Coordinates of all heavy atoms in Angstrom, one line a residue:
A213 N 25.5 28.3 -60.3 CA 26.7 29.2 -60.0 C 26.5 30.5 -60.7 O 26.0 30.6 -61.8 CB 27.9 28.5 -60.4
V214 N 27.0 31.5 -60.0 CA 27.0 32.9 -60.6 C 28.3 33.2 -61.3 O 28.4 33.9 -62.3 CB 26.7 33.9 -59.5 CG1 26.7 35.3 -60.0 CG2 25.3 33.6 -58.9
L215 N 29.4 32.8 -60.7 CA 30.7 33.1 -61.2 C 31.5 31.9 -61.6 O 31.3 30.8 -61.0 CB 31.6 33.8 -60.1 CG 31.1 35.2 -59.7 CD1 32.0 35.8 -58.6 CD2 31.2 36.2 -60.9
R216 N 32.4 32.0 -62.6 CA 33.2 31.0 -63.1 C 34.7 31.4 -62.8 O 35.1 32.5 -63.4 CB 33.0 30.6 -64.5 CG 34.0 29.6 -65.1 CD 33.7 29.4 -66.6 NE 34.7 28.7 -67.1 CZ 34.5 27.4 -67.6 NH1 33.4 26.8 -67.4 NH2 35.6 26.7 -68.1
V217 N 35.5 30.8 -62.0 CA 36.8 31.2 -61.8 C 37.8 30.2 -62.5 O 37.7 29.0 -62.1 CB 37.1 31.3 -60.2 CG1 38.6 31.7 -60.0 CG2 36.2 32.3 -59.6
E218 N 38.6 30.7 -63.4 CA 39.5 29.8 -64.1 C 40.9 30.2 -63.6 O 41.3 31.3 -63.8 CB 39.4 30.0 -65.6 CG 37.9 29.7 -66.1 CD 37.7 30.2 -67.5 OE1 38.6 30.7 -68.1 OE2 36.6 30.1 -68.0
M219 N 41.6 29.2 -63.1 CA 42.9 29.3 -62.6 C 43.8 28.5 -63.4 O 43.6 27.3 -63.6 CB 43.1 29.0 -61.1 CG 42.3 29.9 -60.2 SD 42.6 29.5 -58.4 CE 42.0 27.8 -58.4
T220 N 44.9 29.1 -64.0 CA 45.9 28.3 -64.8 C 47.3 28.4 -64.1 O 47.8 29.6 -64.1 CB 45.9 28.8 -66.2 OG1 44.6 28.7 -66.8 CG2 46.9 28.0 -67.0
R221 N 47.8 27.4 -63.6 CA 49.1 27.3 -63.1 C 50.1 27.3 -64.2 O 50.0 26.4 -65.2 CB 49.3 26.1 -62.2 CG 50.7 25.9 -61.7 CD 51.0 24.5 -61.2 NE 52.4 24.3 -60.9 CZ 53.3 24.0 -61.8 NH1 52.9 23.7 -63.1 NH2 54.6 23.8 -61.5
I222 N 51.1 28.2 -64.2 CA 52.1 28.2 -65.3 C 53.4 27.8 -64.7 O 53.9 28.3 -63.7 CB 52.1 29.7 -65.8 CG1 50.7 30.0 -66.4 CG2 53.2 29.7 -66.9 CD1 50.6 31.4 -66.7
G223 N 54.0 26.8 -65.3 CA 55.3 26.3 -64.8 C 56.0 25.5 -65.9 O 55.4 25.1 -66.9
P224 N 57.3 25.2 -65.7 CA 58.1 24.6 -66.6 C 57.7 23.1 -66.9 O 58.2 22.5 -67.9 CB 59.5 24.8 -66.2 CG 59.4 25.0 -64.7 CD 58.0 25.7 -64.5
R225 N 57.0 22.5 -65.9 CA 56.6 21.1 -66.1 C 55.2 20.9 -65.5 O 54.8 21.7 -64.5 CB 57.6 20.1 -65.5 CG 57.7 20.3 -64.0 CD 58.7 19.2 -63.4 NE 58.8 19.3 -61.9 CZ 58.0 18.8 -61.1 NH1 57.0 18.0 -61.6 NH2 58.1 18.9 -59.8
A226 N 54.5 20.0 -66.0 CA 53.1 19.8 -65.5 C 53.2 19.0 -64.1 O 54.1 18.1 -64.0 CB 52.3 19.0 -66.5
L227 N 52.3 19.2 -63.3 CA 52.1 18.5 -62.1 C 51.0 17.5 -62.2 O 50.2 17.6 -63.1 CB 51.7 19.4 -60.9 CG 52.8 20.5 -60.6 CD1 52.2 21.4 -59.5 CD2 54.1 20.0 -60.2
D228 N 51.0 16.4 -61.4 CA 49.9 15.5 -61.5 C 48.7 16.1 -60.9 O 48.9 17.2 -60.3 CB 50.2 14.1 -60.8 CG 50.7 14.2 -59.4 OD1 50.4 15.2 -58.8 OD2 51.2 13.3 -58.8
T229 N 47.6 15.6 -61.0 CA 46.3 16.3 -60.7 C 46.2 16.7 -59.2 O 45.8 17.8 -58.9 CB 45.1 15.5 -61.1 OG1 45.1 14.2 -60.6 CG2 45.0 15.4 -62.7
D230 N 46.7 15.8 -58.3 CA 46.5 16.1 -56.9 C 47.5 17.2 -56.5 O 47.2 18.1 -55.7 CB 46.6 14.9 -56.0 CG 47.8 14.1 -56.2 OD1 48.4 14.1 -57.3 OD2 48.3 13.3 -55.2
N231 N 48.7 17.2 -57.0 CA 49.7 18.2 -56.7 C 49.3 19.6 -57.4 O 49.5 20.7 -56.8 CB 51.1 17.8 -57.2 CG 51.7 16.9 -56.2 OD1 51.5 16.9 -55.0 ND2 52.4 15.9 -56.8
A232 N 48.7 19.5 -58.5 CA 48.2 20.7 -59.2 C 47.1 21.4 -58.4 O 47.1 22.6 -58.2 CB 47.7 20.5 -60.6
A233 N 46.2 20.6 -57.9 CA 45.1 21.1 -57.0 C 45.7 21.7 -55.7 O 45.3 22.7 -55.3 CB 44.1 20.0 -56.6
G234 N 46.7 21.0 -55.1 CA 47.4 21.6 -54.0 C 48.1 22.9 -54.2 O 48.1 23.8 -53.4
A235 N 48.7 23.0 -55.4 CA 49.4 24.2 -55.8 C 48.5 25.4 -55.9 O 48.9 26.5 -55.7 CB 50.2 24.0 -57.0
L236 N 47.2 25.1 -56.2 CA 46.3 26.2 -56.5 C 45.4 26.5 -55.3 O 44.5 27.3 -55.3 CB 45.4 25.9 -57.7 CG 46.2 25.9 -59.0 CD1 45.3 25.4 -60.2 CD2 46.8 27.3 -59.3
K237 N 45.5 25.7 -54.1 CA 44.7 25.9 -53.0 C 44.8 27.2 -52.4 O 43.8 27.9 -52.0 CB 45.0 24.8 -51.9 CG 44.1 24.9 -50.7 CD 42.7 24.7 -51.0 CE 41.9 24.6 -49.7 NZ 40.5 25.2 -49.9
A238 N 46.0 27.8 -52.1 CA 46.2 29.1 -51.5 C 45.6 30.2 -52.4 O 44.9 31.0 -51.9 CB 47.6 29.3 -51.1
P239 N 45.9 30.2 -53.7 CA 45.3 31.2 -54.5 C 43.7 31.1 -54.5 O 43.1 32.1 -54.5 CB 45.9 30.9 -55.9 CG 47.1 30.2 -55.7 CD 46.9 29.4 -54.4
R240 N 43.2 29.9 -54.5 CA 41.8 29.7 -54.5 C 41.2 30.3 -53.2 O 40.2 31.0 -53.3 CB 41.5 28.2 -54.6 CG 40.0 27.9 -54.6 CD 39.8 26.4 -54.9 NE 38.4 26.0 -54.6 CZ 37.8 25.0 -55.2 NH1 38.5 24.3 -56.1 NH2 36.6 24.7 -54.9
D241 N 41.8 30.1 -52.1 CA 41.3 30.6 -50.8 C 41.4 32.1 -50.8 O 40.5 32.8 -50.4 CB 42.1 30.1 -49.7 CG 41.8 28.6 -49.4 OD1 40.8 28.1 -49.8 OD2 42.7 28.0 -48.6
A242 N 42.5 32.7 -51.4 CA 42.7 34.2 -51.5 C 41.6 34.8 -52.4 O 41.1 35.8 -52.1 CB 44.1 34.5 -52.0
I243 N 41.3 34.1 -53.5 CA 40.3 34.6 -54.4 C 38.9 34.6 -53.8 O 38.2 35.6 -53.9 CB 40.3 33.8 -55.8 CG1 41.6 34.1 -56.5 CG2 39.1 34.2 -56.6 CD1 41.9 33.1 -57.6
A244 N 38.6 33.5 -53.1 CA 37.3 33.4 -52.4 C 37.2 34.5 -51.4 O 36.2 35.2 -51.3 CB 37.2 32.0 -51.7
E245 N 38.3 34.8 -50.6 CA 38.3 35.8 -49.6 C 38.1 37.2 -50.3 O 37.3 38.1 -49.8 CB 39.5 35.8 -48.8 CG 39.6 36.9 -47.7 CD 40.8 36.8 -46.8 OE1 41.5 35.8 -46.9 OE2 41.0 37.8 -46.1
A246 N 38.8 37.4 -51.4 CA 38.7 38.7 -52.1 C 37.3 38.9 -52.7 O 36.8 40.1 -52.8 CB 39.7 38.8 -53.2
L247 N 36.6 37.8 -53.0 CA 35.2 37.9 -53.5 C 34.2 38.1 -52.4 O 33.0 38.2 -52.6 CB 34.9 36.7 -54.3 CG 35.6 36.5 -55.7 CD1 35.3 35.2 -56.3 CD2 35.2 37.7 -56.6
G248 N 34.7 38.1 -51.2 CA 33.8 38.2 -49.9 C 33.0 36.9 -49.6 O 32.0 37.0 -48.9
L249 N 33.6 35.8 -50.0 CA 32.9 34.5 -49.7 C 33.4 33.9 -48.4 O 34.6 34.2 -48.0 CB 33.2 33.5 -50.8 CG 32.9 34.0 -52.3 CD1 33.3 32.9 -53.3 CD2 31.4 34.2 -52.4
R250 N 32.6 33.2 -47.8 CA 33.0 32.6 -46.5 C 34.1 31.6 -46.7 O 34.9 31.4 -45.9 CB 31.7 32.0 -45.9 CG 31.8 31.7 -44.5 CD 30.4 31.3 -43.9 NE 30.6 31.3 -42.5 CZ 29.8 31.9 -41.6 NH1 28.7 32.3 -42.1 NH2 30.0 31.8 -40.4
D251 N 33.9 30.8 -47.7 CA 35.0 29.8 -48.1 C 34.9 29.4 -49.6 O 33.9 29.9 -50.2 CB 35.0 28.6 -47.2 CG 33.7 27.7 -47.3 OD1 33.1 27.7 -48.5 OD2 33.3 27.1 -46.4
D252 N 35.8 28.6 -50.1 CA 35.8 28.4 -51.5 C 34.8 27.3 -51.9 O 34.7 27.0 -53.1 CB 37.2 28.0 -51.9 CG 37.8 26.7 -51.3 OD1 37.0 26.2 -50.4 OD2 38.8 26.2 -51.7
A253 N 34.0 26.8 -51.0 CA 32.9 25.8 -51.3 C 31.6 26.5 -51.6 O 30.6 25.8 -51.8 CB 32.8 24.8 -50.2
D254 N 31.6 27.8 -51.6 CA 30.3 28.5 -51.9 C 29.7 28.0 -53.3 O 30.4 28.1 -54.3 CB 30.6 30.0 -51.9 CG 29.4 30.8 -52.0 OD1 28.6 30.7 -52.9 OD2 29.2 31.6 -51.0
P255 N 28.5 27.6 -53.3 CA 27.9 27.1 -54.5 C 27.7 28.2 -55.6 O 27.4 27.8 -56.8 CB 26.6 26.5 -54.1 CG 26.2 27.3 -52.8 CD 27.5 27.6 -52.1
R256 N 27.9 29.4 -55.3 CA 27.8 30.5 -56.3 C 29.0 30.6 -57.3 O 29.0 31.2 -58.2 CB 27.5 31.8 -55.7 CG 26.2 31.9 -54.9 CD 26.1 33.1 -54.1 NE 27.0 33.1 -53.0 CZ 27.2 34.1 -52.3 NH1 26.6 35.3 -52.4 NH2 28.1 34.1 -51.2
V257 N 30.0 29.8 -56.9 CA 31.3 29.9 -57.7 C 31.6 28.5 -58.2 O 31.6 27.5 -57.5 CB 32.4 30.4 -56.9 CG1 33.7 30.5 -57.7 CG2 32.1 31.8 -56.3
E258 N 32.0 28.4 -59.5 CA 32.5 27.2 -60.2 C 34.0 27.4 -60.3 O 34.4 28.5 -60.9 CB 31.9 27.0 -61.6 CG 30.4 26.7 -61.6 CD 29.9 26.6 -63.0 OE1 30.3 27.5 -63.9 OE2 29.1 25.7 -63.3
W259 N 34.8 26.5 -59.9 CA 36.3 26.6 -60.0 C 36.8 25.6 -61.0 O 36.4 24.5 -61.1 CB 36.9 26.2 -58.7 CG 36.5 27.1 -57.5 CD1 35.4 26.9 -56.7 CD2 37.1 28.3 -57.1 NE1 35.3 28.0 -55.8 CE2 36.4 28.8 -56.0 CE3 38.2 29.0 -57.6 CZ2 36.7 30.0 -55.4 CZ3 38.5 30.2 -57.0 CH2 37.8 30.7 -55.9
F260 N 37.7 26.1 -61.9 CA 38.3 25.3 -62.9 C 39.8 25.5 -62.9 O 40.3 26.7 -62.8 CB 37.8 25.7 -64.3 CG 36.3 25.4 -64.5 CD1 35.3 26.3 -64.1 CD2 35.9 24.2 -65.0 CE1 34.0 26.0 -64.3 CE2 34.6 23.9 -65.1 CZ 33.6 24.8 -64.8
C261 N 40.6 24.4 -62.9 CA 42.0 24.5 -62.9 C 42.7 23.9 -64.1 O 42.1 22.9 -64.7 CB 42.5 23.7 -61.6 SG 41.8 24.3 -60.1
A262 N 43.7 24.5 -64.5 CA 44.4 24.1 -65.7 C 45.9 24.3 -65.5 O 46.3 25.0 -64.5 CB 43.9 24.8 -67.0
Q263 N 46.7 23.9 -66.4 CA 48.2 24.1 -66.4 C 48.6 24.5 -67.8 O 48.1 24.1 -68.8 CB 48.9 22.9 -65.9 CG 48.6 22.4 -64.5 CD 49.5 21.3 -64.1 OE1 50.6 21.4 -63.9 NE2 48.8 20.1 -63.9
A264 N 49.7 25.3 -67.8 CA 50.2 25.7 -69.1 C 51.8 25.9 -68.9 O 52.3 26.1 -67.8 CB 49.6 27.0 -69.5
L265 N 52.4 25.8 -70.0 CA 53.9 26.0 -70.1 C 54.1 27.5 -70.1 O 53.4 28.3 -70.6 CB 54.5 25.3 -71.3 CG 54.5 23.8 -71.3 CD1 55.0 23.2 -72.6 CD2 55.2 23.2 -70.1
P266 N 55.3 27.9 -69.6 CA 55.6 29.4 -69.5 C 56.0 29.9 -70.9 O 56.5 29.2 -71.8 CB 56.6 29.5 -68.5 CG 57.4 28.2 -68.6 CD 56.3 27.1 -68.9
H267 N 55.9 31.2 -71.0 CA 56.5 31.9 -72.1 C 58.0 32.1 -71.8 O 58.4 32.0 -70.6 CB 55.8 33.3 -72.4 CG 54.3 33.2 -72.8 ND1 54.0 32.8 -74.0 CD2 53.2 33.4 -72.1 CE1 52.7 32.7 -74.1 NE2 52.2 33.0 -72.9
A268 N 58.7 32.5 -72.8 CA 60.2 32.6 -72.5 C 60.5 33.7 -71.4 O 61.6 33.5 -70.8 CB 60.9 33.1 -73.8
A269 N 59.7 34.7 -71.2 CA 60.1 35.8 -70.3 C 59.9 35.4 -68.8 O 60.5 36.1 -68.0 CB 59.3 37.0 -70.6
W270 N 59.2 34.4 -68.5 CA 59.0 34.0 -67.1 C 58.8 32.5 -67.0 O 58.4 31.8 -68.0 CB 57.8 34.8 -66.5 CG 56.7 35.1 -67.4 CD1 56.5 36.2 -68.2 CD2 55.5 34.3 -67.6 NE1 55.4 36.1 -68.8 CE2 54.7 35.0 -68.6 CE3 55.1 33.1 -67.1 CZ2 53.5 34.5 -69.0 CZ3 53.8 32.6 -67.6 CH2 53.1 33.3 -68.5
R271 N 59.1 32.0 -65.8 CA 59.0 30.5 -65.6 C 57.8 30.1 -64.8 O 57.2 29.0 -65.1 CB 60.3 30.0 -64.9 CG 61.5 30.2 -65.8 CD 62.8 29.7 -65.0 NE 62.6 28.4 -64.4 CZ 62.9 27.3 -65.0 NH1 63.4 27.2 -66.2 NH2 62.8 26.2 -64.3
Y272 N 57.3 30.8 -63.8 CA 56.2 30.5 -63.0 C 55.2 31.6 -63.0 O 55.6 32.8 -63.0 CB 56.6 30.1 -61.6 CG 57.4 28.8 -61.5 CD1 58.9 28.9 -61.6 CD2 56.8 27.6 -61.4 CE1 59.6 27.8 -61.5 CE2 57.6 26.5 -61.4 CZ 59.0 26.6 -61.4 OH 59.7 25.4 -61.3
G273 N 53.9 31.2 -62.9 CA 52.9 32.2 -62.8 C 51.5 31.6 -62.5 O 51.4 30.4 -62.5
L274 N 50.6 32.5 -62.4 CA 49.2 32.1 -62.2 C 48.3 33.1 -63.0 O 48.4 34.3 -62.9 CB 48.8 32.1 -60.8 CG 47.3 31.9 -60.5 CD1 47.0 30.4 -60.8 CD2 47.0 32.1 -59.0
R275 N 47.5 32.5 -64.0 CA 46.5 33.3 -64.7 C 45.1 33.0 -64.1 O 44.8 31.9 -63.9 CB 46.5 32.9 -66.2 CG 45.6 33.7 -67.1 CD 45.6 33.2 -68.5 NE 46.8 33.0 -69.0 CZ 47.3 31.8 -69.5 NH1 46.4 30.7 -69.6 NH2 48.5 31.6 -70.0
V276 N 44.5 34.1 -63.7 CA 43.1 34.0 -63.2 C 42.1 34.7 -64.1 O 42.4 35.9 -64.4 CB 43.1 34.6 -61.8 CG1 41.7 34.5 -61.2 CG2 44.1 33.8 -60.9
V277 N 41.1 34.1 -64.5 CA 40.0 34.7 -65.3 C 38.7 34.5 -64.4 O 38.4 33.4 -64.1 CB 39.8 34.1 -66.6 CG1 38.7 34.7 -67.4 CG2 41.2 34.3 -67.4
I278 N 38.1 35.6 -64.1 CA 36.7 35.5 -63.4 C 35.7 36.1 -64.3 O 35.8 37.2 -64.9 CB 36.8 36.3 -62.1 CG1 37.9 35.7 -61.2 CG2 35.4 36.2 -61.4 CD1 38.1 36.6 -59.9
R279 N 34.7 35.3 -64.6 CA 33.6 35.7 -65.5 C 32.2 35.2 -64.9 O 32.2 34.4 -64.1 CB 33.8 35.3 -66.9 CG 33.9 33.8 -67.1 CD 34.1 33.4 -68.5 NE 35.6 33.2 -68.7 CZ 36.2 33.5 -69.8 NH1 35.5 33.9 -70.9 NH2 37.4 33.4 -70.0
S280 N 31.2 35.7 -65.5 CA 29.9 35.2 -65.1 C 29.8 33.8 -65.5 O 30.4 33.4 -66.6 CB 28.7 36.1 -65.6 OG 28.6 35.9 -67.0
A281 N 29.0 32.9 -64.8 CA 28.9 31.6 -65.1 C 28.2 31.3 -66.5 O 28.4 30.3 -67.1 CB 28.2 30.8 -64.0
G282 N 27.5 32.3 -66.9 CA 26.8 32.2 -68.2 C 27.7 32.4 -69.4 O 27.3 32.3 -70.5
G283 N 28.9 32.8 -69.2 CA 30.0 33.0 -70.2 C 30.2 34.4 -70.6 O 31.2 34.7 -71.3
A284 N 29.4 35.4 -70.2 CA 29.7 36.8 -70.5 C 30.9 37.3 -69.7 O 31.1 36.8 -68.6 CB 28.4 37.7 -70.2
R285 N 31.6 38.2 -70.3 CA 32.8 38.7 -69.6 C 32.5 39.9 -68.8 O 31.7 40.7 -69.1 CB 33.9 39.0 -70.6 CG 34.5 37.7 -71.2 CD 35.6 38.0 -72.2 NE 35.9 36.8 -72.8 CZ 37.1 36.3 -73.0 NH1 38.1 37.0 -72.6 NH2 37.4 35.2 -73.5

């Protein structure tokens, strides 16, 4: 893989793993499209999903970090 895409769903409660994956499907497709990929199964991209609790100022969000798969930013 060339890129590592880390998506963190931010919400007031954690979802189980299949619902978390479903919640991140549309953003994953949009990121793949923005990267010019045919679909999100392109082997040049590694996808990682996580969840986090929100900060006081907001309740829901999505944090996306894209870096080279070697770890450099």
Side-chain angles (χ1 to χ4, degrees):
V214 176
L215 293 176
R216 175 184 172 105
V217 178
E218 302 167 3
M219 297 184 297
T220 303
R221 177 199 169 269
I222 299 165
R225 65 179 181 85
L227 300 176
D228 59 17
T229 55
D230 55 336
N231 284 322
L236 294 172
K237 180 61 176 151
R240 180 176 169 149
D241 289 343
I243 292 166
E245 183 178 344
L247 292 172
L249 303 175
R250 201 171 188 135
D251 65 31
D252 64 353
D254 191 299
R256 295 173 291 176
V257 180
E258 296 176 316
W259 299 91
F260 294 89
C261 301
Q263 296 186 68
L265 294 175
H267 295 285
W270 35 272
R271 292 180 48 92
Y272 291 94
L274 175 65
R275 181 183 317 121
V276 178
V277 176
I278 301 173
R279 62 180 90 216
S280 70
R285 292 179 185 230

